[in-house]
Amino acid sequence: MRSFAVGFAMGVMLLQHSATLPAVAAVWAFVACGGVSAIGGIAAGRIRARMPQSPPGLIRNKGAYLSAVMIVSLLIDGAIAGYLGSAWSAQRRLAEVLPDRFEGRDFNLEGRVIGLPVDVGPGVRFEFEIERGVPDDARFPRRVLLTLYRRHDDAVRRGSAADARGQFRPGRDDAAGSEPDIRPMQRWRFTVRLKKPHRLANFHASDGEAALLERSVRATGTVRDRPAPVLLDDAGRPAGAAMLAALHDPPAAIHRVRDRIRRSILAVLGDGAHAGIVVALAVGDQSHISPADQERFARTGTRHLIAVSGLHVSLVAGAMAWLIALTWTRLPVLGARAPIWIATPRVAAIAGALAAFVYAGLAGLGVPALRAFVMCATAAAACVSARRPGASTVLAWALLIVLCVDPWAVLGAGFWLSFGAVGAIALANATRMSVARSCIEDPEHGAHEGLDDAPPSRTRRWAAVFRARAGDATRTQWAVTVALVPGSVCWFFDIPLLGPLANAVAIPWASLLVTPMTLAGVLAPAPLDSWLWQAAHLNLEAMMYVIDWLARPAWAVAWLRAPDPLVLCLAIGGAMLILMPSGWPLRASGWVLWLPLIWPGDDRLPEGAFRLTVLDVGQGTAVLVQTRSHLLVVDTGPRYGEQSDAGRAVLVPALSSLGARRVDRLVVSHADSDHAGGAAALTGTLQVASLRASLPPEDPLWQVVPDASACVAGEHWEWERVRFETLWPDKPDKPYRGIGFRNAASCVIKVTNGVLTALLPGDIEAAQERALVARDPDALRADLLVAPHHGSRTSSTESFLDSVAPRDAVFPVGYANRFGHPAARVAERYRARGVRLHRTDRDGAVRATSASQGFVIERCRTVKHRYWMDDVTDDVIPDDGGRSQ
């Protein structure tokens, strides 16, 4: 069973990292190989079963070989089953796709809200199951992800379209001038504009499109405000209708309950600093957690506390099992006869599994919660059937069932961290559990060893129990810390050095006080529920004070760059060796295998070389320029909402993956939100040594960075034989009046090593381009050009392109952006000059590294291509495996 589960996981991982789904011929080949492997394993098993119980040495060796054949057979069959099963699931999901001819069109759709609506700052996002209004196309998706943007008061009065940066809260009904109140199980009529499920694609970042595929969402869109949305039916108002709807679709009913609990908690706690954490512990919705709390948890290695983890599910199951075991023999009427009919341990195990299922469902049934429930259910089934499976067998069943339910789970951090933590605990406690089992089977073994004839006093007994519990907790915390180091570096690029201490404080605090009070408030009637939630929030405030103190030192986190696959595998192997029992061969060598992870080799660029990365931030610009020892950031991308921007979501993770905690210079080309929206998040997270910008004098960014001054033509500096020069603006003190003037003041940066040159012109337009050409056309010559103003028709004039004469051009644009960037006529100008075009909406992040023969271009969606991504079809981009020169 364990070998098959491990092989199954390997097959699932292979499929999820494949660029294409297997062809029919390959499927039949895999089936044939699986059949041959199964026949070989069955034959080896039968031969092994017929061998004598106590064979001589030669036969014993043959038995070991046969056992190895059986294990390999199970691994192969499991891998084939996982690969083909995942491929079948993926093919079914991909069968629905939004046809190209329907993209960007408005549809009048009727359907039902499913899942839990999530507040995304400028609006509310929810999944919508379409019932009517679908065009006559069999492939049209039936489940879409919609966003309803909030409108500004002035926009409502004018009747204009919704402002994507909306500033106010939704109303309670769908009357004119107010916002619809979206709840699960409601039926609505919306006018929506749909597009394909496209998400940002950056190197060393998780794939958002895979997450949508995992949820069976095959299109996204926005709700139009004209005509106004119409509520057709609310299943939560009439009690009878709500009950019928719940029986028809239990998951939707669970989401309805989750929504009510969330609204109740937010109504009680209001604007409490940590109200989002209480919501997350109750229903698994983390959208209300503040960025400050997320940063504290990240720096102390306590991220698992803000999610319904397996620990919380196990605590609920254990508490319910203990409560049932305590009351089963004290039932009214039945009394002591109840344990005779059904043994108390069996009833307690079943009750614990049911409690785990209810809480996991209430939390949204994420991967850690699902894993914990499956393990509880497996343990309960073993108890009922009077079996005693090992911890590895229970974990294998959980692995197999989780991947059967959700084959895309292997792409998320929660899967690896959850299973890794449980596996580490089982591995570290293997020796202690075997000793405990021997004591159970032989109760007299060790009963009086080392003790006097007189029984110990109560104090000594309590002291012994405390030492045993403290030892178990220390051993468990050590195992989890060691096991999660490779995963933490892989997913978050850090090692919280104070993580063990923070967890030693926070886990008992959250598990014994905050979580029980939160869940008790869910079950308690009013007004007791509000008192319990307020008490949970007060305990959170005290706990967060301690966590904030631990997160404060600058050395609290060790930042490392993203590991290579080989380095990551060595680190995982090292963690397994470290956690092996004492006396295991080569156990101490596990620390040696960690050296490439903690002290990576010097892969810096050579002297005189530079690397330019245009990040995929949507409709905006963010560029990283690296030399051997320095880092320049030009623009920081857009602001997405009140608590979300490209700086926090894209730029800081990209810099963290490089192991960088310091930006030598930040250039903000101008004050438009799509270029400066992430600057505050960047300067608040990383150290920024100097700033050059075209910003208004009142902008707070001037006060944050010590060395700050305006961009001015003629300024230049040099890092490792790479020269940086500012070409524009020539009048930095020009007043800021409107968008046109901001664009005119854009900083234009030129980067050159004497052989290759890159030009970053910001949002300059035709007038500024003509001025630059008139001043010195030779100074504009560049091999790589980041297209001015995202390819707008007001930029990239003929004379400017003739002066620059680029080989490659990058358009930083958002997918299906409302501005129509890049303009068709502008793109044609580049093509007419033989320029190779790269677009962040189609190619993802674009990385250019200087080489002797030219720039080596890497496009994220080509380098990291997966089967769910659209193929690049632009004929001006060569098919060279994601690299062009």
Side-chain angles (χ1 to χ4, degrees), residues 235 241 270 277 298 307 313 409 606 681 732 749 754 769 868:
I277 302 177
V313 175
I749 306 296
E769 291 179 356
W868 55 80

Side-chain angles (χ1 to χ4, degrees), residues 451 454-467:
L451 299 178
S457 64
R458 177 176 297 181
T459 303
R460 292 179 61 186
R461 289 200 302 270
W462 278 105
V465 170
F466 176 78
R467 286 196 300 270

Side-chain angles (χ1 to χ4, degrees), residues 458-722:
R458 177 176 297 181
T459 303
R460 292 179 61 186
R461 289 200 302 270
W462 278 105
V465 170
F466 176 78
R467 286 196 300 270
R469 296 292 184 268
D472 291 346
T474 303
R475 186 185 299 107
T476 298
Q477 184 58 49
W478 166 252
V480 172
T481 300
V482 170
L484 297 189
V485 165
S488 180
V489 176
C490 177
W491 291 98
F492 310 114
F493 321 115
D494 62 16
I495 301 178
L497 300 179
L498 294 177
L501 179 59
N503 278 282
V505 175
I507 288 179
W509 205 321
S511 302
L512 301 179
L513 294 175
V514 180
T515 302
M517 290 179 181
T518 300
L519 297 181
V522 171
L523 300 175
L528 185 59
D529 56 351
S530 61
W531 299 342
L532 289 168
W533 288 328
Q534 289 171 356
H537 192 267
L538 287 174
N539 277 276
L540 265 176
E541 289 180 339
M543 187 187 78
M544 294 303 293
Y545 179 82
V546 177
I547 289 180
D548 188 48
W549 180 75
L550 293 173
R552 199 168 298 161
W555 53 266
V557 180
W559 297 96
L560 302 174
R561 71 169 186 237
D564 298 329
L566 177 59
V567 172
L568 182 61
C569 291
L570 290 175
I572 293 174
M576 295 177 65
L577 284 175
I578 294 170
L579 296 177
M580 287 296 179
S582 300
W584 188 271
L586 302 177
R587 181 171 178 261
S589 64
W591 298 106
V592 178
L593 298 180
W594 273 19
L595 292 179
L597 181 74
I598 300 176
W599 287 286
D602 186 4
D603 64 344
R604 295 181 298 173
L605 295 169
E607 191 88 5
F610 67 94
R611 177 178 294 139
L612 185 146
T613 305
V614 182
L615 297 173
D616 183 9
V617 295
Q619 184 61 25
T621 302
V623 182
L624 310 181
V625 184
Q626 302 167 252
T627 64
R628 178 172 177 82
S629 303
H630 291 81
L631 181 62
L632 168 70
V633 176
V634 180
D635 289 332
T636 58
R639 184 173 181 82
Y640 304 130
E642 295 176 3
Q643 295 185 346
S644 177
D645 54 66
R648 181 175 292 107
V650 179
L651 189 54
V652 170
L655 293 170
S656 299
S657 70
L658 301 174
R661 301 308 299 168
R662 182 179 187 271
V663 175
D664 296 286
R665 177 157 292 181
L666 168 64
V667 174
V668 180
S669 64
H670 60 297
D672 282 358
S673 175
D674 59 333
H675 290 253
L682 176 64
T683 55
T685 306
L686 277 70
Q687 178 187 358
V688 178
S690 65
L691 170 69
R692 297 294 182 268
S694 287
L695 296 172
E698 66 274 11
D699 194 291
L701 205 59
W702 296 116
Q703 311 301 323
V704 175
V705 183
D707 177 17
S709 61
C711 289
V712 58
E715 182 184 19
H716 60 85
W717 66 95
E718 187 171 314
W719 293 333
E720 291 88 37
R721 292 194 289 132
V722 178

